[in-house]
């Protein structure tokens, strides 16, 4: 078989990787579009990561998604890094170029924004400050994309204040750190509210932020998608806010990789959401 008529292979690398929804997402698109191709979960240790990445193109892989704990480490191994991956400080989408070089990109911020734009077309990130809770890896992608989208100010809070301050130093003067115990205050006048902590997830602690200061014109979104409607989203909805769940971010962040590797546009539909939720 020549390289050109090889069946394209892609997959997700992590450790553990069994929980990843990516195989289900990619296989659904491959089936719906009638494309030849396979998408494989690969549990790879940190010690084996670089050797695995160097060998995958030789086996017919066109690219891979990367998940915990390798998202930062792959940046060092890549031959080319997109601006947004460099800014976020991690990569989730690696494309193997024809000459075997590795191109690292991060589509988390894209997924975050695209989910909001498609689900809430009336939302305008420029219309007012954003309030972001959390300062982990997910928050980095959220901050970079909100700045990119023109949010005039970003109020950031985190249980561990020093992590929020480190992000503010990196992302510039638009980012203002607020104290975690006063998180409710930063909702006053916010146009966009984002939970980028793991609080609210099934089995994790509750996110306790009073929403009294929140205007009903605000858009509220949660990166947690299990449950789909977190207590934060339920409360915000009862006030009258537009709410967007976090499942869409997971689905939209996968679309650029699919298009690059398999050559067709992947659609995020209600059917796909139902498949992933089942
Ligand atoms: P991710 O890549 O999903 O962002 P992470 O880097 O582990 O994961 O970040 C998890 C986020 O949830 C952090 O903002 C974390 O706050 P700390 O930096 O103080 O750890 C937040 N988080 C997790 N458990 C929390 C809790 N019980 N109370 C408050 N914040 C919590």
């Amino acid at each position: 078989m020549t390289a050109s008529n090889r069946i394209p292979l892609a997959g997700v690398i992590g450790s553990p990787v069994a929980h990843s929804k990516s195989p289900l997402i990619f296989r659904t698109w491959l089936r719906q579009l009638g494309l030849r191709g396979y998408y494989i979960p690969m549990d790879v240790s940190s010690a084996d990561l670089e050797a695995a990445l160097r060998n995958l193109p030789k086996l017919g892989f066109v690219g891979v998604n990367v998940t915990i704990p390798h998202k930062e480490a792959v940046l060092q191994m890549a031959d080319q890094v997109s601006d947004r991956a460099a800014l976020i400080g991690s990569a989730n989408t690696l494309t193997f170029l024809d000459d075997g070089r590795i191109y690292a990109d991060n589509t988390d911020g894209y997924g975050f924004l695209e989910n909001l734009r498609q689900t809430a077309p009336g939302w305008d990130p420029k219309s007012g400050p954003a309030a972001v809770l959390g300062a982990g890896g997910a928050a980095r992608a959220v901050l970079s994309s909100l700045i990119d989208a023109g949010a005039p100010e970003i109020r950031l809070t985190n249980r561990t204040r020093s992590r929020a301050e480190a992000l503010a130093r990196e992302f510039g003067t638009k980012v203002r750190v607020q104290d975690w115990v006063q998180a409710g205050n930063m909702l006053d006048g916010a146009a966009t509210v984002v939970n980028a902590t793991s609080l609210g997830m099934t089995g994790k602690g509750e996110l306790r932020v009073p929403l009294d200061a929140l205007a009903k014109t605000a858009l509220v979104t949660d990166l947690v998608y299990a449950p789909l409607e977190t207590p934060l989203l339920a409360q915000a909805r009862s006030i009258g806010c537009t709410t967007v769940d976090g499942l869409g971010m997971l689905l939209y962040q996968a679309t650029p990789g699919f298009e690059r590797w398999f050559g067709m546009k992947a659609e995020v539909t209600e059917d796909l959401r139902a498949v992933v939720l089942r």
Side-chain angles (χ1 to χ4, degrees):
M1 208 183 249
T2 63
S4 58
N5 61 19
R6 269 180 168 177
I7 297 177
L9 307 177
V12 54
I13 290 191
S15 190
V17 80
H19 67 282
S20 172
K21 302 272 191 206
S22 295
L24 189 56
I25 298 168
F26 277 80
R27 288 169 187 174
T28 302
W29 280 330
L30 285 169
R31 196 182 58 245
Q32 284 175 344
L33 293 166
L35 291 175
R36 295 189 330 155
Y38 292 98
Y39 189 94
I40 299 153
M42 290 171 279
D43 193 325
V44 176
S45 70
S46 297
D48 293 333
L49 182 62
E50 181 141 26
L53 289 179
R54 293 291 164 202
N55 280 303
L56 285 172
K58 299 174 200 162
L59 301 174
F61 277 79
V62 287
V64 286
N65 289 118
V66 182
T67 187
I68 290 164
H70 302 318
K71 290 176 79 166
E72 288 82 23
V74 293
L75 273 195
Q76 314 307 320
M77 298 167 190
D79 302 296
Q80 225 180 307
V81 175
S82 71
D83 288 347
R84 59 191 182 181
L87 191 65
I88 298 170
S90 67
N92 68 342
T93 306
L94 304 182
T95 300
F96 302 130
L97 306 176
D98 286 341
D99 55 8
R101 283 180 312 135
I102 300 171
Y103 173 66
D105 192 12
N106 191 315
T107 64
D108 286 334
Y110 165 83
F112 170 75
L113 273 189
E114 198 61 13
N115 183 34
L116 297 186
R117 288 188 168 134
Q118 297 295 335
T119 318
W123 173 68
D124 177 8
K126 298 191 183 79
S127 68
V132 178
L133 301 118
R140 296 180 71 92
V142 167
L143 285 195
S144 75
S145 64
L146 284 174
I147 291 170
D148 228 31
E153 175 193 334
I154 296 169
R155 302 165 181 173
L156 179 66
T157 191
N158 193 51
R159 173 181 61 178
T160 311
R161 190 182 167 110
S162 57
R163 284 184 96 185
E165 281 167 351
L167 282 193
R169 278 195 297 278
E170 238 182 277
F171 284 91
T173 52
K174 273 192 176 183
V175 181
R176 311 229 167 103
V177 176
Q178 313 259 337
D179 222 60
W180 180 245
V181 289
Q182 284 161 8
N185 295 344
M186 70 178 199
L187 306 185
D188 192 5
T192 312
V193 177
V194 185
N195 175 36
T197 74
S198 47
L199 293 176
M201 194 183 293
T202 311
K204 296 273 167 91
E206 206 182 307
L207 178 62
R208 293 177 203 277
V209 179
L211 303 188
D212 312 293
L214 187 64
K216 63 177 175 209
T217 47
L219 175 138
V220 181
T221 187
D222 204 320
L223 269 43
V224 170
Y225 59 85
L228 206 49
E229 187 175 63
T230 60
L232 170 71
L233 293 184
Q235 270 186 58
R237 188 164 59 86
S238 73
I239 293 171
C241 295
T242 302
T243 60
V244 180
D245 67 59
L247 180 62
M249 176 176 174
L250 175 76
L251 304 177
Y252 281 106
Q253 63 78 30
T255 59
F258 187 89
E259 289 167 32
R260 254 171 241 161
W261 304 332
F262 297 108
M264 278 183 84
K265 196 167 161 47
E267 301 284 350
V268 172
T269 60
E270 273 309 316
D271 276 0
L272 179 66
R273 284 173 60 90
V275 167
V276 173
L277 288 173
R278 259 203 304 269

